[in-house]
Amino acid sequence: RFVQARSLIGFDPWAFMEERNIGKVFEGGLLVVHNDHLGRGIAELLVHHLLPVLQARGCQATYEVISSKYSAPIMDRMGDFEVLAVKKFSELVDDKGELLFPDADANGALSLKTRILKIPPNLKLFD
C-alpha cells in the first residue's frame, strides 16, 4: 500500500534523485514498535543510529513515508527533513475507489519526507 500511496502523492524517486544529483538513496520502509513499547524512544534511537550507517554505505539521502502521529514527531525532532508531499488518508484511494488505509484516521495525513545526509565522515557510529 505504501508504494501505491507514494505514487498517489506524486512522488517519483528517480526524478527526485536526478533533480538533486543523487546517486544512492535509502527508501525508508516501515518502522513499527509494538503498542506495549510506544513512547519509550525505541524508534527514535533506531533512526538516530541508522543515518550514520547509511552514509557510511554511500547513501546521499533518505526518503520516508510517514504515516502515523507517532513517527512524524520523531522525524521532526531529528531535524533537516524536507516535506515533499502530504495527503490526507481520505484522499488515498485505489483504482476501485477504496481507501488504501481504511483503519487510519480520515483527518490524519500521510507525508513524504526527505533528508540529505550531512553526517561528518569521522562520526563514531557506536559508543
Side-chain angles (χ1 to χ4, degrees):
R1 292 188 221 176
F2 283 99
V3 172
Q4 193 173 4
R6 184 185 70 196
S7 175
L8 289 171
I9 61 178
F11 181 71
D12 177 356
W14 300 108
F16 166 80
M17 292 171 68
E18 188 175 314
E19 289 166 3
R20 289 167 171 79
N21 195 28
I22 292 172
K24 189 172 185 180
V25 67
F26 174 76
E27 176 183 51
L30 292 176
L31 176 58
V32 180
V33 175
H34 190 276
N35 285 344
D36 292 347
H37 302 287
L38 290 176
R40 295 183 182 179
I42 296 169
E44 189 165 355
L45 184 64
L46 290 171
V47 171
H48 176 74
H49 284 289
L50 175 65
L51 294 175
V53 172
L54 293 175
Q55 187 185 36
R57 293 190 174 193
C59 288
Q60 298 164 290
T62 68
Y63 67 86
E64 294 86 21
V65 175
I66 311 298
S67 62
S68 82
K69 62 183 177 184
Y70 301 106
S71 53
I74 291 170
M75 298 304 173
D76 292 342
R77 282 192 299 274
M78 301 221 42
D80 294 334
F81 279 90
E82 172 190 352
V83 177
L84 299 176
V86 177
K87 281 258 190 188
K88 284 189 173 184
F89 285 114
S90 60
E91 299 173 324
L92 297 169
V93 295
D94 63 18
D95 54 358
K96 297 177 186 173
E98 308 255 338
L99 290 172
L100 284 181
F101 303 96
D103 298 328
D105 174 7
N107 293 318
L110 182 124
S111 62
L112 186 75
K113 296 185 178 186
T114 184
R115 179 179 184 155
I116 304 301
L117 296 176
K118 299 174 186 170
I119 302 166
N122 60 350
L123 180 70
K124 189 175 180 181
L125 293 181
F126 301 101
D127 295 331

